[in-house]
Structure formats: C-alpha cells, structure tokens
Amino acid sequence: IFVTKMLRPTTSCSHLSHHHSLCFDRTYDYSVVCPGPNLNMIVGANGTGKSSIVCAICLGLAGKTAILGRGDKVGLYVKRGFPKGSIEIELCKNGGKVVINREIHVENNQSLWMLNGRHCNQKAVEEEVKALHIQVSNLCQFLPQEKVGEFAKMSKIELLEATEKSVGPPEMYEYHCELKNFRNKERELENVVKERANFLEKAKQRNERNKHDVNRYYEKKRHLDVIELLEKKKPWVEYETTRKELEGIKRERDEAKRQLAALKQAQAPMLRKIQEIDNQLKPTEAQIKAKCKQKQDQLDRKHKEIEDIKQTLKLKQMEEEDHQKRISNTRRTINDLKEELAKVGDQPDVTPQINAINVELRRNQEERAKIEGDKADLRRERDNLYAECRSDDMNNLLNAKEEKLRDRHRDTHAALQWLRQNKNQFTGNVHEPMMLVINVREHRFAKYVETHISFHDLRAFVFQKKDDMEKFMTEVRDKMNLKVNSISAPEESCSRRPPSRNIESMRRFGFFTYLREMFDAPDEVMSYLCHQYKVHDVPVGNDQTKAMIKTVIEEPYLKVLYTTEERYTVKRSFYSNKISTSNSAVQPSQYLTITVDAEEKQQLEQQLKVKYSGVKAQTKLISDAAALDRRDNELLAEKKHLSEQKCNHLEQRKVRLTEHCKGLLKKAKSICKMQYDESLPEDLRNAFNKLPDTLDEIDAMLNEERSRAECFTGLSESVVEEYNRREQEINNLEKELEEKSNALNTYRQNISEAKERWLNPLKQLVEQINGKFSDFFRSIQCAGEVDLHAENEEEYDKYGIRIRVKFHSSTQLHELTAYHQSGGERSVSTMLYLMALQELNRCPFRVVDEINQGMDPVNERRVFDIVVRTACKETTSQYFFITPKLLQNLQYAEEMTILCVHNGPQMLSPNQWNERTFIERCLQKNAQT
C-alpha cells in the first residue's frame, strides 16, 4: 500500500493512515493522498494538479527530474513564492512500513532526506527503494504524462531492458548485462586473435622473403671462411713445397756427384755405345719405309675417306728425313762427347745452365708427348667433325642446359617441371631459371656473363609480380619442401637503363662492349640483372686493357671491369680517396655456352666446318716434332758438358733453400697464430685436409671463392640479426596467439553457459507477456503479438522485444512505432502492454498518466474494462491510472479507489473536508433534480 503527502511550502506535516479522497486547491499548500491497494483512478480536469501526485511519487522516491520532463531543477517543483517544500511517502511492506521524507530547498536545489525518522543521504534512500523493486525510471512501471509518447518511441532493445527490470527475476537483467559484457570482450578477443594471426602471418611471410638473403649471407660467410682457411694453408703449402724442393736438391746433388763420377769412367763404354748406335741405324731406315708403306696401304683400303690421311703420309716421310738427320746429329754428338769428356774436370760452375737445359729438355719431352697426343686427337677430332657436320641430331642440344641444371641442382629442376605444368595459376610473367633463358650471343662471351652472375641467381626463377612469387614459393618450398631460389623483378623496368659512359669514349682503353650487350634475356630477367649486377655498366676489354690496367683503374667511374682473362674490382676509399683493386681469373663457362635457337644451330654447323679447316691447318704444325728431336741431341750434349759444374751449384742452392724454409715456416705459424715450437692444431689439420695441396690449386680456388664472395653484394650481419629477431618475435606471437585462442574458447564456453541462464527464462517471460497481450487485443476485436527479436543470436546487445499490432481486419500486423499507428492506437497498445505486465506482478506499483488521450470512445471503454478487470485482482500490484475524464456508464469494481482532484477559490482545506457529507449532499441534489 502506498501513501504520499504532497509537496508543501512548510516543514510541518500531518499523517493520515486511512484511505480517503481529497479535494485539492489549484496551488497546494498542503495535501494528503491515501490510495487503495489495487486500482486507483485519479480523476480531475486539466490543470487541477493530477500530475502533481505523479511528481511527488517520483521525487519522493529519489527519482530524477528528467523522468518527469517538466523541469531539470528540483527547486522548480516547490510552490512558487516559497523557499522550500517537503514530501513524505509511506511504503507498506511485509513486516512493517518504510517512511521516506524529502525536504527541498529552492535556493540551492538541495534536499534533506529522512528514512523512518532518521536523517540519511540520498544513496540510502535509493538502496531502500531498489530493495523494494521500485523503478521510477522504468517506463513499464512509471509512465508520466510527458513520457507517454516516448513509450512508442522506445526501441526494441530499450523495451526489452525496461521489461526485464520491471517483471523479470532480479538476476535476468544482470545476466543480460553480463552476456553483453562477455560478448564485447569476446569481440575484443576475436579482434586480438585475428589481428595477431594476421600479424603473425605477415611476419612469417616477411621472414620467408628475407630467408633468401640470410641464406646468401651464410653462403657468403662460408666462402669467406674457406678463403680464410686457404690463406692460412697457403704458407704451409709454400713451406712444404720449398721443403720438398730442398730434399730434391739434396738428392739431385748426390745424383749429380754420382753421374759425374760415372761420366769420368764412361769413355770406353761410350765408344762401344757409338758402335751399337751405328749398327742400330742400319735397319732403322728399312723399318721406317716398311711402316710408311703399311700406313699407305691402310689409307688406300679406306678409299681415301679423308684428305688429311695423305697429309699424314707426307708427315711420315718427313719423319724419315728427320731420322736421317738425327742419325747424323747423333754421330756429331758422339764425337763432341768424346772431346768434352777430357775437359769435364776443368769447367767452371755452370749449374744455372744445366738447370736451364733440364727445364728445356723436360719442356721438349712434354711438347713431344703433347704433339704425339695431338696427332691422335686431331685424327679423332677430324673424324668426329665430319660426323658432326653430317649429323641431324642437333636438336638434342635443346635439353643440354636443362640436363646440366638437373645434375647440379635437382630441387630447381623438380620445381621447373612443376612450373611448366601449372603456369596457368599465375597472373604475371614467370620465367624459368636464368641459365635456361639467358642466351649469349657468342660462345666467347659466356665466361664473362657466368663469372659475373652467381650460380644461385642463375638457377633462380624470375617473377614479374610478387604475389606470383609468394604463391610459387608456398607450393614448391613449403608444400614440396624444395630448396629453390626466386626473384621478383623491379616494379619499374631497368632493362633499358643507359650506361654511365658511351662505349665509344672507352675504346682507347681496349673496351669494346658492355656485359648487357653480350647476351639476350627476357625483359624482367634483364631488368633484374641491370638492377642487381649493373650489367649495363660493366665494360669488357681486351689485352690492350690488361696492358694499360694501371691507367684504366684511375678512371673514377669504373667499379668492375673485365679484360680478356681477368675480372677487376676497383674500390676508392671514402676518406683518403685511395684506390684499391682486386682481380681474379675468369673461369671457363659451364652453363651458358650452349645456345639452342635455330640461328645458333646454323652458326654451330658453320663453325664445325671452319674448325675442320683449322684442324687441317694445325696438322702442318706437327712437323715441328722433328726439330724438337734435333734440339734434344744438342741439349744432351750440352748437359753432359756441364754436369761437373752442377754439383757446386746444387750445394749453393741447398743452403739458400734451407734458410728460405725456416722463413716460410715462421710465416705460416704466424698467420695461424701459433708459437714457433707449437705443432699444427688438429682442427686446422682436419680443415686443411679438405683443401687442395698445391699452390696453383689453392690460388685458383682462392680466386674462385673471392669471385663468388664478391657476388653477394649488399649483405651484412644485420640481415641475420633482423631475421633472428623476427624469428623470436614469431615464436612469441605464436605463444601469445595460442594463449589468446585458449582464452577465447574459455570465454565462449562461459558465454554459452550464461546464455542458457538468461535466454531460456527470458523466452518463457516473453511468451507469458505475449499470451496476455494477444488475449487483450482479441478482446477488443484486434490483433497483437509480442516476440523476442534478434537478427543475430550471438549479438546480445541487439536483442529486443517487438510489439506488432493490427487494428483493422484489412491490414497486416505492423510493428508499433511512433509513425505507423495513430496516437490513439499507440495509447491502446501501450496500455495493453502495461496490463500484460501487470499480472506478472514483480513491481509493487505502476503509474500511468493520461494514457487514454486520443482513444476513441469504443477503445477507451474496452481498455477501461481491461484495466479494471486486471488491476483489481488480489494478486496484482497497486495501480495508479490518471485521467482528466471518464466515460459514462463504465463498469466499476469494489476494489477500485476513486481519487477526485478539484481546485478553485472555494475549495476547503484538507482538514476541513468530509467525504460523507459531500456524498450525502450530492444524493440530495440528485433527488431534487
């Protein structure tokens, strides 16, 4: 039961605990309202002060002024001309009652509160009101006159929240708020997981792209490590070579002494040997003639297939003449030896001459062996060339480069096969490995191009678009686990970039072209090589360039250049402008010498013919072998003449090499940072065993490793540091992503449980409201429905209650809005919805102020009947229905309380009013009428 004392200008008040009606003045000084427990009809003309009761209820229960919509300051609700006013509200509850007093001061808009006769603050009153489930801010409980129109304007979401607070169990709205918070946090976690996943994927892609540079850095470091080991081993090889040379000198000295002694005793045997030679020479001529005839017969039997066979016959005849001359020379040598034997002991030290003779003898022997080998090789080559010229199998060269690629790097060859079968997956141009698409214009140019471009890039695939490259690497590297290289061409083509100098201005140094002009390649490949290797700006020269190299390297615009057989790199100090150069040998081509187009095929055939002509010309040089034999005889004689002098020379040289060995050993240990008495460490010994053992091989390998290391430009340790840093970052991201994903799954489980706690009871509640609401509409020959509406079941902040009504049989159900229905229809719908909530009875009272405005008489009567029937039940909550008028002949109930509000100058004060006298006076007046 609810009792209220109205706003008044004085601080004193009286309290009435029984139920009665009061007549009020237009402006209240003091009034008391005693409502009934069920339906309270507050009736009075407009302006009499009916809504003042609503204001007193709201403000006395610590409601905000915004709820009333009449003024934003609480002082405005005190009677004009008075400094303060007060409200007293008595709330009846099980086990007792609650009395709330509020005193409002106009000057500062402040309030003094009392709860059950004790002073308190506003928060204590709010907590007491909340404990009794009173919600004056909820339009489903408290609907002032100024807020009637706003009820229809409430969104579905707002209506759901108001209904939950009004008739739902206390925890329902809390569960709803919890779900919305859970959903917001779930979204945050989903966004975090998605963001981390995207960031992780991009980090992996970036690191995968940088992995190529890291591999190149480590490969360069491997070359540098090999160079370091070679430079350490080289002095040891020099030392070992010199030591072996010293041992050889010792043995040679001992042998020379022995030979000298033997020569002094060899005069008699030498004469016998001369006689034997004379006897051997006689059958030699006949044997040579027979052999020549045999060769001639063989040539005849072959039907003179090759013209060069005749030349061979002539050569054999020339050999016969040579033998004759050799016989004569041998005889002269024997005579010379006889004369020299007597003079051996008197000759000065001629060790250098003997060494020179030995060198020349070895060279002649090697040359003779080479010439003999060349004879056989030339004959074989001549036959092969004929066969090559006649062969139609030239097209087999088309696969030669690919075979070399497969032998050298099978992963790249496997990726090539995949690419040829899946080229339709790519949107831009995709080129096979460079070594297959680069075509040198002349064979002699191949060695320069191949020296300048690293093998890693020669076997690399070239892509016009980065997306295609990433797709390709995902397939062949990630899925097929192949180790391949790929390159993305520059976005802006560099293939036609001009050189820094016109080649004509450089011809005075022997330069005749740039590397770019030596070969052809697709535009994207050429663009990359111009960008990365500057092939458009690397000149190639000849022997003239080599001869004047000191002048050439002074030119400031030259960084890398080639001579006939060497590659030069020129560096200029940033601080001192001092020039430093390094050079390495240009190695023969292994991959690019094979060209396979039709024009090249024709050129190759022509070259074979030219080469055959060259072979014919070279066979004429074989006649030089006879001259070598003659020179041998002369050198043998001179060697024997100088043998005695050799011994002394070998003894001077032994001493010199001994000192040289000591110096080389000291140098080798110093380079390896060893003590002089320290032996070679085992780790260095094992590393040295894997390297070449001769100086020539070490120098060649050093040049090769330096050339390869120089190809890896623009790489530093920061590339590896950045790669490792990002790898750690990726690991951390993966752990964080796993933690966030687990948290998200846990959150989703909590949401699922909270959803069950909230949604099932809510659905039941809405079904109950819908049943009542539909029944009410059917009772007025209309249709209405209430349902729980959600476009997305997981968006808990978007759930709402949708009211749909139909007032005419010719129309469909339409959602209740501020625009679709008339004002009267909205009032009917609002009233019936509130009545549908009435019987659920969670709130202690409801207030509806002038909601019947705009209703037609028929609907107003129907709604009134529903209000009376529903609000007068014993199980329903207290109801305040405020209206300026009532229709005649309405059906009233005994449980109703009628509170009439009057005003005017003749009004009695509240303490003078007598209800019984007023009724008797009305009955008498009616009887007289």
Side-chain angles (χ1 to χ4, degrees):
I1 298 175
F2 186 99
V3 178
T4 180
K5 294 181 180 178
M6 301 303 297
L7 287 174
R8 58 188 176 81
T10 61
T11 56
S12 62
C13 65
S14 62
H15 175 70
L16 298 178
S17 59
H18 58 279
H19 308 287
H20 65 280
S21 299
L22 297 177
C23 293
F24 296 92
D25 199 335
R26 181 179 178 84
T27 55
Y28 301 130
D29 288 340
Y30 169 73
S31 294
V32 178
V33 177
C34 294
N38 296 105
L39 175 61
N40 291 274
M41 301 293 295
I42 301 176
V43 185
N46 290 331
T48 55
K50 301 184 302 301
S51 296
S52 296
I53 301 175
V54 177
C55 295
I57 294 173
C58 176
L59 298 178
L61 296 176
K64 306 297 182 185
T65 57
I67 298 172
L68 301 170
R70 296 194 172 204
D72 58 343
K73 296 180 180 179
V74 70
L76 297 175
Y77 292 86
V78 177
K79 184 175 181 179
R80 187 173 302 173
F82 291 88
K84 58 184 177 180
S86 66
I87 307 169
E88 180 178 298
I89 297 179
E90 181 177 327
L91 302 175
C92 297
K93 65 175 184 178
N94 293 333
K97 65 180 179 179
V98 177
V99 178
I100 300 173
N101 292 86
R102 180 176 189 177
E103 185 176 281
I104 301 171
H105 293 261
V106 176
E107 182 178 1
N108 55 10
N109 288 297
Q110 297 295 317
S111 297
L112 296 178
W113 294 88
M114 293 182 69
L115 187 61
N116 292 328
R118 295 182 179 181
H119 288 284
C120 64
N121 55 23
Q122 183 173 334
K123 185 176 181 180
V125 176
E126 291 174 348
E127 290 176 353
E128 185 66 30
V129 169
K130 182 179 179 182
L132 295 173
H133 305 297
I134 298 173
Q135 303 169 359
V136 293
S137 61
N138 190 340
L139 296 183
C140 289
Q141 283 193 24
F142 197 87
L143 192 61
Q145 181 178 349
E146 284 75 11
K147 298 291 183 178
V148 171
E150 292 187 11
F151 186 91
K153 295 180 182 178
M154 290 174 67
S155 68
K156 295 186 286 291
I157 298 172
E158 293 171 335
L159 184 58
L160 172 61
E161 292 183 356
T163 303
E164 286 177 324
K165 294 176 182 178
S166 176
V167 297
E171 66 276 7
M172 178 176 286
Y173 181 69
E174 296 174 3
Y175 287 161
H176 192 183
C177 294
E178 183 182 51
L179 265 177
K180 288 189 284 187
N181 292 332
F182 279 172
R183 180 54 183 156
N184 290 335
K185 292 181 180 178
E186 182 187 27
R187 286 196 194 97
E188 293 175 3
L189 280 174
E190 286 175 346
N191 292 334
V192 169
V193 169
K194 184 177 180 180
E195 177 187 353
R196 290 292 183 272
N198 291 337
F199 189 78
L200 176 62
E201 182 62 26
K202 290 179 181 178
K204 287 181 177 180
Q205 291 174 358
R206 285 197 303 270
N207 239 25
E208 199 59 42
R209 289 193 292 267
N210 292 342
K211 189 175 183 180
H212 174 65
D213 289 337
V214 173
N215 291 337
R216 293 179 71 235
Y217 171 83
Y218 280 121
E219 187 159 356
K220 178 181 180 179
K221 191 174 185 306
R222 286 194 292 272
H223 290 306
L224 295 177
D225 291 342
V226 172
I227 290 172
E228 183 181 0
L229 281 175
L230 287 169
E231 290 175 342
K232 286 182 178 179
K233 183 172 182 179
K234 184 175 180 180
W236 287 95
V237 174
E238 290 176 340
Y239 161 73
E240 187 64 21
T241 302
T242 306
R243 188 189 65 79
K244 289 180 179 179
E245 185 179 356
L246 176 60
E247 295 296 327
I249 289 296
K250 290 179 181 178
R251 290 193 298 270
E252 189 177 350
R253 178 197 61 183
D254 295 339
E255 180 64 22
K257 289 180 178 179
R258 187 189 64 76
Q259 288 180 0
L260 181 59
L263 285 172
K264 290 180 180 179
Q265 299 175 6
Q267 185 174 9
M270 183 64 70
L271 293 174
R272 288 195 298 271
K273 188 174 181 180
I274 292 172
Q275 184 61 45
E276 292 174 359
I277 290 174
D278 287 336
N279 294 335
Q280 291 173 0
L281 289 175
K282 292 178 181 179
T284 299
E285 183 176 0
Q287 291 174 359
I288 291 175
K289 289 181 179 180
K291 189 174 182 180
C292 289
K293 188 175 186 305
Q294 182 181 2
K295 293 293 183 182
Q296 182 63 50
D297 292 342
Q298 290 176 356
L299 293 175
D300 292 340
R301 282 194 301 270
K302 291 183 179 180
H303 302 291
K304 299 180 180 180
E305 285 182 352
I306 302 172
E307 185 178 347
D308 192 52
I309 300 300
K310 296 180 180 180
Q311 183 67 27
T312 303
L313 178 60
K314 293 180 182 179
L315 289 176
K316 292 300 180 180
Q317 291 172 347
M318 290 175 65
E319 288 178 9
E320 172 60 21
E321 294 175 0
D322 241 4
H323 278 291
Q324 294 295 334
K325 294 177 182 179
R326 202 178 319 160
I327 292 171
S328 175
N329 290 337
T330 303
R331 288 174 179 166
R332 284 198 302 271
T333 300
I334 292 172
N335 293 331
D336 292 340
L337 287 173
K338 289 177 181 179
E339 294 175 359
E340 295 295 331
L341 281 175
K343 302 177 183 180
V344 167
D346 299 330
Q347 293 297 321
D349 184 9
V350 289
T351 302
Q353 292 93 324
I354 291 177
N355 289 336
I357 290 170
N358 286 334
V359 171
E360 190 169 355
L361 279 172
R362 286 195 298 272
R363 186 165 58 245
N364 287 348
Q365 290 169 357
E366 292 172 357
E367 186 68 22
R368 185 184 298 107
K370 182 175 181 300
I371 290 173
E372 290 299 328
D374 287 346
K375 289 179 183 179
D377 291 343
L378 287 170
R379 284 192 295 270
R380 285 193 300 271
E381 187 172 359
R382 177 194 58 207
D383 296 338
N384 291 338
L385 288 173
Y386 274 121
E388 288 176 10
C389 290
R390 294 191 303 268
S391 175
D392 292 328
D393 201 22
M394 185 62 183
N395 290 328
N396 289 337
L397 291 177
L398 291 171
N399 298 321
K401 285 186 179 180
E402 187 175 334
E403 290 299 322
K404 285 192 175 183
L405 174 62
R406 183 175 64 181
D407 294 341
R408 180 69 185 272
H409 206 275
R410 291 187 175 273
D411 280 10
T412 302
H413 187 266
L416 173 64
Q417 302 305 313
W418 182 91
L419 174 64
R420 289 175 175 173
Q421 297 173 5
N422 296 275
K423 269 198 172 181
N424 58 345
Q425 295 188 21
F426 304 103
T427 58
N429 294 334
V430 183
H431 300 285
E432 296 181 352
M434 288 190 192
M435 63 178 289
L436 301 181
V437 299
I438 288 177
N439 191 25
V440 292
R441 297 177 178 176
E442 296 185 28
H443 289 284
R444 61 192 180 100
F445 293 160
K447 62 181 181 180
Y448 301 113
V449 179
E450 194 166 315
T451 298
H452 198 69
I453 305 173
S454 70
F455 177 71
H456 297 283
D457 279 351
L458 282 176
R459 67 181 178 85
F461 296 81
V462 181
F463 293 81
Q464 182 183 22
K465 296 184 177 179
K466 289 184 179 180
D467 292 343
D468 287 344
M469 182 181 74
E470 292 176 358
K471 181 188 296 183
F472 174 79
M473 294 302 285
T474 299
E475 291 293 333
V476 302
R477 181 191 58 207
D478 299 343
K479 296 183 179 179
M480 300 173 65
N481 200 25
L482 299 177
K483 296 180 179 179
V484 297
N485 289 348
S486 63
I487 290 167
S488 176
E491 293 183 0
E492 183 177 350
S493 178
C494 305
S495 61
R496 300 302 176 190
R497 184 178 293 176
S500 57
R501 292 288 188 282
N502 191 296
I503 195 63
E504 295 300 328
S505 65
M506 302 172 66
R507 291 194 185 276
R508 57 194 174 96
F509 297 127
F511 293 116
F512 59 91
T513 188
Y514 285 105
L515 272 181
R516 182 176 61 184
E517 314 308 323
M518 288 185 162
F519 66 95
D520 298 312
D523 185 77
E524 286 83 5
V525 177
M526 187 66 79
S527 175
Y528 172 78
L529 294 178
C530 289
H531 174 76
Q532 183 69 21
Y533 289 95
K534 305 294 187 293
V535 295
H536 65 289
D537 214 18
V538 177
V540 181
N542 51 27
D543 292 337
Q544 178 185 348
T545 311
K546 171 68 175 175
M548 56 190 308
I549 191 65
K550 291 184 178 180
T551 303
V552 172
I553 62 177
E554 294 292 336
E555 295 297 315
Y557 52 84
L558 290 176
K559 301 288 176 53
V560 180
L561 60 95
Y562 286 87
T563 63
T564 305
E565 298 295 339
E566 292 179 308
R567 179 182 192 264
Y568 285 84
T569 302
V570 183
K571 297 180 180 179
R572 192 177 300 272
S573 172
F574 179 77
Y575 300 98
S576 62
N577 208 31
K578 185 177 179 180
I579 296 175
S580 62
T581 62
S582 61
N583 67 306
S584 57
V586 177
Q587 302 298 324
S589 170
Q590 301 182 48
Y591 309 107
L592 302 180
T593 53
I594 301 175
T595 53
V596 297
D597 58 1
E599 181 181 354
E600 185 66 17
K601 176 180 176 182
Q602 183 178 359
Q603 292 177 358
L604 184 58
E605 292 175 350
Q606 184 64 29
Q607 289 173 4
L608 289 173
K609 295 178 182 178
V610 173
K611 190 173 182 181
Y612 172 67
S613 301
V615 169
K616 291 176 65 178
Q618 290 177 18
T619 55
K620 298 179 182 179
L621 299 178
I622 298 179
S623 60
D624 292 343
L628 290 176
D629 288 340
R630 290 192 295 270
R631 182 59 180 159
D632 275 353
N633 292 332
E634 297 172 1
L635 292 174
L636 284 172
E638 187 174 357
K639 177 182 177 182
K640 292 177 182 179
H641 177 67
L642 301 174
S643 292
E644 187 177 17
Q645 301 176 27
K646 181 178 179 181
C647 292
N648 293 332
H649 173 72
L650 291 173
E651 190 68 33
Q652 292 163 351
R653 190 175 182 190
K654 170 183 170 292
V655 175
R656 187 170 64 253
L657 285 176
T658 300
E659 295 300 321
H660 189 44
C661 276
K662 292 179 180 179
L664 290 174
L665 179 60
K666 183 178 180 180
K667 177 183 176 184
K669 291 191 174 184
S670 175
I671 290 177
C672 294
K673 298 179 181 180
M674 296 167 53
Q675 298 296 327
Y676 186 73
D677 57 348
E678 184 182 357
S679 59
L680 190 66
E682 184 177 359
D683 57 340
L684 276 180
R685 185 181 299 109
N686 293 334
F688 286 172
N689 288 337
K690 299 176 183 179
L691 299 176
D693 294 321
T694 66
L695 286 176
D696 289 342
E697 291 175 330
I698 286 178
D699 287 335
M701 190 172 182
L702 267 173
N703 290 332
E704 180 181 357
E705 293 297 325
R706 285 169 180 159
S707 298
R708 293 186 181 278
E710 289 172 0
C711 292
F712 296 92
T713 57
L715 297 176
S716 65
E717 195 170 355
S718 62
V719 174
V720 180
E721 293 174 354
E722 175 67 16
Y723 178 82
N724 292 334
R725 184 192 64 76
R726 193 174 285 119
E727 277 290 301
Q728 183 61 41
E729 181 181 341
I730 288 173
N731 292 335
N732 295 337
L733 282 173
E734 287 176 339
K735 292 179 181 178
E736 182 182 1
L737 181 60
E738 183 179 3
E739 293 173 357
K740 297 294 184 184
S741 299
N742 293 336
L744 179 59
N745 292 333
T746 303
Y747 237 98
R748 286 172 174 165
Q749 181 64 29
N750 293 339
I751 289 175
S752 178
E753 295 172 358
K755 180 181 178 181
E756 292 295 324
R757 294 196 301 267
W758 170 73
L759 189 57
N760 291 338
L762 177 60
K763 287 180 177 179
Q764 296 175 3
L765 178 64
V766 174
E767 284 297 323
Q768 291 175 358
I769 296 172
N770 179 54
K772 297 293 182 181
F773 188 75
S774 299
D775 290 343
F776 291 154
F777 261 83
R778 279 194 295 271
S779 69
I780 64 173
Q781 287 78 48
C782 297
E785 290 182 358
V786 175
D787 63 2
L788 185 63
H789 182 264
E791 294 180 359
N792 184 347
E793 189 175 348
E794 305 302 324
E795 300 294 333
Y796 304 109
D797 55 345
K798 299 296 194 306
Y799 274 77
I801 287 183
R802 181 173 58 178
I803 299 176
R804 295 189 298 165
V805 295
K806 183 177 73 168
F807 287 91
H808 307 285
S809 59
S810 60
T811 62
Q812 300 295 324
L813 284 169
H814 289 285
E815 188 171 346
L816 181 64
T817 65
Y819 312 103
H820 194 275
Q821 290 84 10
S822 66
E825 291 172 344
R826 290 197 300 271
S827 297
V828 171
S829 302
T830 301
M831 193 66 193
L832 294 184
Y833 184 78
L834 294 178
M835 297 313 299
L837 302 181
Q838 177 71 11
E839 294 188 14
L840 298 177
N841 195 26
R842 178 172 175 264
C843 60
F845 70 92
R846 301 184 195 278
V847 176
V848 179
D849 190 358
E850 295 193 15
I851 197 171
N852 56 340
Q853 293 295 319
M855 291 186 189
D856 61 87
V858 175
N859 283 333
E860 185 176 355
R861 187 177 298 277
R862 290 172 177 173
V863 169
F864 182 84
D865 290 342
I866 293 173
V867 170
V868 172
R869 186 172 67 250
T870 303
C872 290
K873 292 181 179 179
E874 293 184 2
T875 58
T876 60
S877 57
Q878 194 175 29
Y879 206 100
F880 291 86
F881 187 90
I882 301 170
T883 178
K885 62 180 179 63
L886 287 174
L887 297 174
Q888 295 181 352
N889 300 321
L890 293 175
Q891 296 295 324
Y892 295 92
E894 291 294 333
E895 293 81 6
M896 293 176 59
T897 299
I898 308 298
L899 300 177
C900 297
V901 181
H902 299 284
N903 68 356
Q906 305 301 322
M907 282 295 298
L908 295 175
S909 62
N911 57 357
Q912 295 177 330
W913 180 262
N914 188 296
E915 179 182 340
R916 183 177 299 277
T917 302
F918 173 78
I919 295 174
E920 290 176 352
R921 195 175 294 168
C922 288
L923 291 174
Q924 292 174 3
K925 185 177 181 181
N926 289 337
Q928 294 173 359
T929 303

